[in-house]
Amino acid sequence: MGDNNDRGQNTRKRRTTISGAGVATLKRGHGNKSGACESIAANHSNASKEDKVRESPTTSRKDKGKHEDSGDKLSCHRIQESLLSSASGYSNYRGILNWCVVMLTDGLLLSLTRYGILVDPIQVVSLFLEDPYSWPAPCLIIGANLVSPPPQHQGTFGERTGAFLYLLNLSAILCFPVATVLTVSSLTPVGGVFVLAVYTIIFLKLYSYKDVNRWCREISHAKARSLSRSHSCPSVHRANGAAAHAQVSYPGNLTHRDMYYFMFAPTLCYELNFPRSPRIRKRFLLRRLFEMVFLMQLLVGLIQQWMVPTIQNSMKPFQDMDFSRIVERLLKLAVPNHFIWLIFFYWFFHSSMNFVAELMQFGDREFYRDWWNSETVTYFWANWNIPVHKWCLRHFYKPMLRKGVQKWVAQTAVFLMSAFFHEYLVSVPLKMFRLWAFMGMMAQIPLAWFVGRFLRGNYGNAAVWISLIIGQPIAVLMYVHDYYVLHFQQSPVEGAD
């Protein structure tokens, strides 16, 4: 064994000499045949050893496999977590999504076997246009350009005069569509909801536009006072006009192009320089467009086929004040209503807003967070609608705190404003004022206190889900019942059940 080791060491040295000297070494040792033979023998021995080394992993794998087989026979357990435990790190719940689709299909089939096919595309068009020759809703949306103020450069108005005029304009944005909806009889409730939603978005955007430009003027004046000189606006404007995608500074942002980009961008909070994506991804855009079209058809089918018959069957128990049947109808309505709400959330906050953001190369795509994991009511309202939450936080909640308002008062004021707009979007199109949506939103305040104080973890999450599943159908039934009594009280209701 010692000789073999010595030989191996010598052969390694000789290989190094040959490889280092190259062909010249062989030429110098041409007359010495024994040296050449020793070199060839050394190379042969190294090759055989390398072959053995190559064969060794195969044999080791076989031995390892035999040991593993014997180990599996002796033990079959190891330390591991269950898949549904948070410590497991498992995140593939695609089967649960498929299960939801199967349950949704089951509910549709049940409705089809009981009521037949109720889906009617022509009826959907009539929900938006009562008279095919009168289009008040589209005209109102186009007319929103008249109530939106054009951007004004610094010095056109004084600060107080401009604030007063802007306040009048914002008031007109909220009041003008209300007066039109209440006076124009050809405007349907669905068309009215759509119009008021557009004007509400314009109101929130213009309010943010006004605040951000006022902050920019304050910062500019503060810098001018600290440096004892003025930062001239025309120089900033010329510098920004040199490049289309350069960083914009105030008042270089006061252009129609900048304002209309903000009006169509999927956000309610204005910035001088929005984060922009480098390019438009066509495949991503087409996927979102397909989702928008498909899910809209699915929503219309679910409402007509599943939800409307359930609501119609609930009218007689409400008139008879049969509380047991009212509860039964309420629970029956909760299932389709919740499915429709979830599909609408995905359609609007994911498909539609991502489609618009991709089309406009808008970079900030955080339109929602993990509200489904909410353990408190406040966490849900702060994470299910990020654009509205950012607006409330930036332009309503924090300014109140900076003025010295207590935190709980500011939170209550935010819920009051949200309750007002919920009632604004429901009562005005229905042309009746019952305050069910307002009271439902205000009821979130004691519910948030109770869940945050007494329920934690899974119990708090269950309470949030129960409030979503049960609370919405209650409001729907209240408005539908009042609307039915107001417009169809003389009609027989026995045939609806």
Side-chain angles (χ1 to χ4, degrees):
M1 295 294 292
D3 296 338
N4 292 334
N5 294 332
D6 294 340
R7 187 187 303 172
Q9 295 174 359
N10 293 333
T11 54
R12 292 190 193 98
K13 291 179 181 178
R14 288 178 186 130
R15 285 189 67 189
T16 305
T17 304
I18 293 171
S19 61
V23 182
T25 306
L26 292 177
K27 287 183 178 180
R28 286 196 301 268
H30 179 71
N32 191 356
K33 296 181 179 180
S34 61
C37 294
E38 288 178 0
S39 298
I40 295 171
N43 292 334
H44 180 71
S45 64
N46 285 333
S48 63
K49 286 184 178 181
E50 289 176 358
D51 293 338
K52 291 180 180 179
V53 172
R54 293 192 192 99
E55 292 176 358
S56 60
T58 306
T59 56
S60 62
R61 287 194 205 101
K62 293 181 180 179
D63 295 338
K64 187 178 179 180
K66 292 180 180 179
H67 288 301
E68 288 180 352
D69 292 339
S70 61
D72 291 340
K73 293 179 181 178
L74 297 177
S75 62
C76 61
H77 297 286
R78 60 187 176 91
I79 298 176
Q80 55 185 340
E81 297 288 341
S82 299
L83 289 183
L84 295 180
S85 300
S86 58
S88 66
Y90 184 78
S91 59
N92 185 8
Y93 298 103
R94 187 179 303 170
I96 297 179
L97 179 62
N98 294 332
W99 169 77
C100 293
V101 174
V102 171
M103 296 300 295
L104 180 63
T105 307
D106 178 72
L108 280 175
L109 292 176
L110 180 62
S111 178
L112 284 171
T113 55
R114 184 172 183 180
Y115 304 110
I117 299 177
L118 300 177
V119 179
D120 186 5
I122 299 178
Q123 186 180 7
V124 177
V125 177
S126 66
L127 293 176
F128 291 90
L129 298 173
E130 184 175 338
D131 185 1
Y133 299 100
S134 177
W135 293 23
C139 291
L140 273 175
I141 294 174
I142 296 174
N145 292 276
L146 301 177
V147 296
S148 300
Q152 299 290 338
H153 288 279
Q154 188 177 8
T156 305
F157 296 110
E159 192 67 35
R160 292 185 177 180
T161 305
F164 176 73
L165 294 176
Y166 220 98
L167 179 62
L168 290 179
N169 182 75
L170 292 176
S171 301
I173 290 174
L174 289 182
C175 297
F176 172 69
V178 172
T180 306
V181 169
L182 295 178
T183 55
V184 177
S185 59
S186 60
L187 190 61
T188 63
V190 177
V193 171
F194 188 72
V195 167
L196 291 177
V198 171
Y199 273 80
T200 301
I201 292 173
I202 294 174
F203 169 84
L204 298 176
K205 283 176 176 283
L206 290 180
Y207 192 95
S208 178
Y209 188 81
K210 181 262 301 183
D211 270 359
V212 172
N213 284 289
R214 177 172 59 85
W215 296 337
C216 289
R217 287 193 298 272
E218 292 174 354
I219 294 173
S220 178
H221 293 332
K223 287 183 178 180
R225 286 193 298 268
S226 63
L227 298 176
S228 301
R229 61 186 178 86
S230 174
H231 288 211
S232 61
C233 301
S235 63
V236 175
H237 183 69
R238 286 196 297 268
N240 291 326
H245 297 287
Q247 293 293 309
V248 179
S249 300
Y250 183 84
N253 63 309
L254 298 179
T255 61
H256 288 90
R257 178 188 179 91
D258 181 84
M259 188 174 188
Y260 273 99
Y261 179 86
F262 173 55
M263 285 293 114
F264 287 99
T267 181
L268 298 176
C269 294
Y270 177 69
E271 289 184 17
L272 273 69
N273 299 282
F274 289 105
R276 304 291 292 271
S277 56
R279 62 184 181 87
I280 298 176
R281 298 169 292 178
K282 295 181 180 179
R283 292 184 179 179
F284 181 87
L285 198 69
L286 291 176
R287 284 198 298 268
R288 300 289 83 82
L289 180 61
F290 173 78
E291 289 177 354
M292 289 171 60
V293 175
F294 173 75
L295 292 178
M296 176 54 67
Q297 301 298 322
L298 181 60
L299 284 172
V300 171
L302 287 174
I303 292 173
Q304 288 186 324
Q305 186 66 46
W306 197 355
M307 195 169 179
V308 171
T310 306
I311 293 176
Q312 289 177 346
N313 293 339
S314 305
M315 292 301 99
K316 186 170 177 54
F318 263 95
Q319 284 191 344
D320 298 340
M321 287 300 168
D322 189 350
F323 292 103
S324 61
R325 293 194 64 192
I326 289 175
V327 173
E328 183 262 336
R329 297 297 181 183
L330 175 65
L331 297 176
K332 190 175 181 180
L333 180 64
V335 177
N337 177 83
H338 193 62
F339 270 121
I340 291 170
W341 182 78
L342 290 175
I343 295 172
F344 174 79
F345 167 81
Y346 186 90
W347 174 81
F348 184 77
F349 287 99
H350 185 75
S351 301
S352 301
M353 298 191 76
N354 269 289
F355 177 82
V356 176
E358 190 68 26
L359 195 64
M360 303 186 67
Q361 294 181 263
F362 186 80
D364 189 0
R365 308 294 176 89
E366 190 186 34
F367 306 124
Y368 55 91
R369 298 193 189 109
D370 60 334
W371 57 265
W372 46 87
N373 295 324
S374 302
E375 297 180 1
T376 60
V377 177
T378 53
Y379 185 88
F380 167 79
W381 287 109
N383 290 276
W384 95 279
N385 190 341
I386 294 299
V388 171
H389 173 68
K390 282 184 178 179
W391 189 94
C392 292
L393 200 66
R394 187 190 194 196
H395 299 286
F396 197 74
Y397 181 74
K398 287 184 177 180
M400 293 182 70
L401 294 182
R402 285 193 289 267
K403 292 179 180 178
V405 179
Q406 295 183 4
K407 187 176 180 180
W408 69 271
V409 176
Q411 291 176 344
T412 304
V414 171
F415 274 102
L416 274 170
M417 184 187 65
S418 179
F420 165 77
F421 279 107
H422 276 78
E423 192 65 39
Y424 175 82
L425 293 173
V426 177
S427 290
V428 175
L430 295 178
K431 300 179 182 179
M432 62 179 193
F433 302 95
R434 298 294 188 271
L435 300 180
W436 298 121
F438 183 88
M439 290 188 293
M441 281 301 302
M442 295 309 297
Q444 298 294 310
I445 298 177
L447 178 64
W449 175 84
F450 177 81
V451 173
R453 182 73 179 273
F454 299 103
L455 301 176
R456 293 290 181 183
N458 292 332
Y459 296 102
N461 184 252
V464 173
W465 277 109
I466 290 173
S467 66
L468 293 175
I469 296 173
I470 302 299
Q472 292 177 359
I474 293 177
V476 170
L477 284 179
M478 291 297 183
Y479 278 107
V480 170
H481 171 264
D482 292 348
Y483 188 82
Y484 185 88
V485 171
L486 188 63
H487 294 84
F488 307 103
Q489 191 172 10
Q490 302 300 325
S491 301
V493 296
E494 288 79 4
D497 192 2

